[in-house]
Amino acid sequence: NISINTDASLPNANAILDIKSGNKGLLIPRMNTAARNAIPNTKGLLVYDTTTNSFWYNTGTQWQAIASGTSSLASLSVADSAWLIKGNSNINDTVNFLGTINNVPLNIRVNNLRSGRIDPIRGNAYWGYLAGKMDTGSYNTAIGTFSLQTNVSGTRNTANGAWSMYYNTEGYNNTSNGVYSMYYNTTGYANAAFGLGSLNQNTTGFRNTASGYQALRSNTTGKYNTAVGVEALYSSTTVSGLTATGYQSLYSNTTGEYNVANGYQALYSNTSGFQNTASGYQSLYSNISGAQNVANGFDALSSNTTGSFNTATGYLALTSNSSAVNNAAYGYYALAANTTGNSNTAVGAMTLNSNTTGAFNTAIGIDAMNSNTIGGANTAVGSGALIRNTEGLSNTSIGASALFYNTTGNYNSAGGEFALTNNTTGHYNTAFGQYALGDNKTGSYNTCVGNNANVSTDGLTFATAIGAGATVDASYKIRIGNSAITVIEGQVPFTTPSDGRFKFNIQDDVRGLDFILHLRPVTYQFDTKRFDAQLNHQSNKATSPANYAIRASYDESSRIRRSGFIAQEVEKAANASGYDFSGLIRPKTDQDHYSLSYDAFVVPLVKAIQEQQQQIADLRREVEELKKLIQSTK
């Protein structure tokens, strides 16, 4: 051994040459690249290349550079393969690489434990501390500490995130992205989990999709579930066929099947309810066991717990419903206050908005039946129809603002814009036509058919007006047409029941000649427009041709030369003869008018003819007696 030093120390026993110095170095032969290449290949030869400013050694077949960390390696040989811990530059990406040149896996270790492996034979790729540690499967990809650590034979799995698919043994075709995602999966297959803790407890469940923080976290054996959103389907364990999209949607579901939840906390509290569909923020939020409900919209059916067969579409639609069944609400705030009312249908914004326990109602149109609380069996079609009804029952309203002010009135039917619009507590009224029975408030059993067919005053009962503009002014009275009507026609005459079996207190007190002789038959013209104005004094509708017939109709009816009596004179004749004449209809108020029933004149006329006939018979008898007397005197 040879030793070169200044302290006279012996050479190291293992070194042929031992050079020691505290202030000097070893100078290797120096030359340019051309001179280096001119040296014959000599294995182990070492030189310093002044052209590349780097050390080179000879392998026996070629020169190989020792990377020096200098800034310029442009002239390095293509065979150079050194990689620097601080990075390389001027790398040729077609020839330079990190890896193997034969068909063996590339392994990376940390603390002498596998932390990365690319296996070209099985098609596996792992990156992370102990990722895929026991894997013997194929075509698996695991990225993250302990990901796919215990996989044995599972194939075509992708696990991204620390501890993702940690316990997978034989499961295949799974995709897991997120820390602890599909952590306990063993043999489940065709699952997809995206998010921290998603499908965390799944063991054998298959064909599930979970996307979001802890989505489907508790699922173990359930299958065909879809959960999208933070903690969506969080508590579900073994149930199948569920779909949840949104933060904590179907969060508490345990045994409910075939539910669909889309939206923030949709179907949040559901445990055993089945076949529900919820779309929207907290829609069906409180549902526990209610089944076959459909909720679409913000807070729709949010308070429902056990109610079933309900459908709610719209912001806060059926939001207060708890246990009621068979309701349908479509529109903003539709049936919003309903709690236990059953079998209601609301279509339109604010329809049946205040209903709580009322049942079997149908409301179609904005604000229809808006104030109803406990009223039931009502039907309202049209904007504002039955809008103020609270407790009224069995009303039918068809038309904008029909039965608008009704509160507790029952069994009314209104068809047409503003029909029965002012009715509040009246019952059993029927109105068909725009503004029909518009002035009735408390009257009952009235019927008006036709545009503006009406009563002249409130509070009438059993009053009927038929025809456009027809107005009835008294209870138990029927009016056909307004004053512009010139003909009332029918194929058969009007008849009156006259069966003697139903008549009683019969008196022979009809006045004949003494009544008839007081009558004054006249011809006259009738101011029909003025009459209708008087008849409709409360609303003064008669002055508007648009409300009744056109002005020409009034002019035509006023030109008619009529034959008849003057009612006031008939009244005097009846009083003078002491006759309670049924054909005279006296006014009941200062605003009312006289009427005559001309068919009633037949009876006193018959009586008068009978009296005349008796007088004729008496005169004939007297004449015969006079003739006999004259003959006897001859």
Side-chain angles (χ1 to χ4, degrees), residues 14-63:
N14 297 321
I16 190 68
L17 176 63
D18 183 353
I19 302 174
K20 178 192 284 186
S21 175
N23 54 13
K24 293 182 175 62
L26 176 65
L27 193 58
I28 300 299
R30 301 165 300 285
M31 64 193 72
N32 58 29
T33 300
R36 173 175 56 80
N37 289 331
I39 299 174
N41 288 327
T42 305
K43 191 172 185 178
L45 192 63
L46 177 67
V47 299
Y48 180 82
D49 192 318
T50 58
T51 304
T52 62
N53 291 322
S54 60
F55 287 97
W56 291 74
Y57 66 93
N58 198 283
T59 63
T61 58
Q62 64 180 10
W63 287 98

Side-chain angles (χ1 to χ4, degrees), residues 385-525:
L386 271 169
I387 187 174
R388 300 197 179 186
N389 191 79
T390 55
E391 302 176 15
L393 303 172
S394 300
N395 296 293
T396 299
S397 172
I398 301 175
S401 297
L403 274 165
F404 185 88
Y405 287 101
N406 192 80
T407 54
T408 59
N410 303 323
Y411 307 105
N412 297 294
S413 296
E417 183 185 28
F418 295 106
L420 264 170
T421 186
N422 290 305
N423 191 80
T424 55
T425 59
H427 306 308
Y428 299 100
N429 295 296
T430 301
F432 289 96
Q434 187 186 46
Y435 292 102
L437 255 176
D439 289 332
N440 189 78
K441 297 179 182 178
T442 60
S444 299
Y445 301 98
N446 298 302
T447 301
C448 286
V449 179
N451 178 274
N452 277 303
N454 206 352
V455 291
S456 63
T457 185
D458 180 42
L460 301 183
T461 58
F462 292 100
T464 300
I466 300 174
T471 301
V472 59
D473 60 348
S475 298
Y476 304 98
K477 181 177 181 178
I478 297 176
R479 170 78 186 196
I480 300 177
N482 65 1
S483 297
I485 299 299
T486 58
V487 176
I488 297 177
E489 185 178 66
Q491 287 299 114
V492 295
F494 190 83
T495 59
T496 302
S498 186
D499 194 319
R501 292 174 297 174
F502 305 102
K503 296 182 179 181
F504 62 97
N505 195 23
I506 299 172
Q507 301 291 328
D508 189 12
D509 57 356
V510 177
R511 297 296 185 266
L513 287 173
D514 58 343
F515 171 62
I516 295 298
L517 292 175
H518 283 90
L519 298 178
R520 183 171 70 103
V522 296
T523 62
Y524 60 90
Q525 291 175 276

Side-chain angles (χ1 to χ4, degrees), residues 9 27 41 50-51 104 118 141 147 206 343 372 428 453 506 579:
S9 60
L27 193 58
N41 288 327
T50 58
T51 304
V104 295
I118 300 175
T141 300
S147 57
F206 55 89
S343 303
N372 192 78
Y428 299 100
I506 299 172
Y579 181 28

Side-chain angles (χ1 to χ4, degrees), residues 242-380:
L242 299 168
T243 300
T245 304
Y247 174 82
Q248 292 185 335
S249 53
L250 269 167
Y251 177 87
S252 304
N253 193 81
T254 54
T255 59
E257 295 185 325
Y258 305 107
N259 294 299
V260 177
N262 298 308
Y264 178 92
Q265 292 183 333
L267 271 165
Y268 175 89
S269 304
N270 193 79
T271 56
S272 58
F274 58 91
Q275 294 178 350
N276 296 293
T277 300
S279 297
Y281 175 90
Q282 291 189 337
S283 54
L284 271 166
Y285 174 90
S286 303
N287 193 77
I288 299 174
S289 58
Q292 296 178 324
N293 296 295
V294 176
N296 297 306
F298 181 95
D299 268 341
L301 270 167
S302 63
S303 301
N304 193 78
T305 54
T306 59
S308 300
F309 315 113
N310 297 296
T311 300
T313 300
Y315 177 87
L316 294 177
L318 269 168
T319 185
S320 302
N321 194 80
S322 57
S323 58
V325 298
N326 295 320
N327 292 296
Y330 302 89
Y332 172 88
Y333 271 110
L335 272 167
N338 193 77
T339 54
T340 58
N342 299 322
S343 303
N344 296 294
T345 300
V347 180
M350 305 293 287
T351 51
L352 274 166
N353 170 252
S354 303
N355 192 79
T356 54
T357 60
F360 301 100
N361 295 298
T362 299
I364 301 175
I366 294 175
D367 286 328
M369 291 194 71
N370 174 269
S371 303
N372 192 78
T373 54
I374 62 175
N378 296 293
T379 299

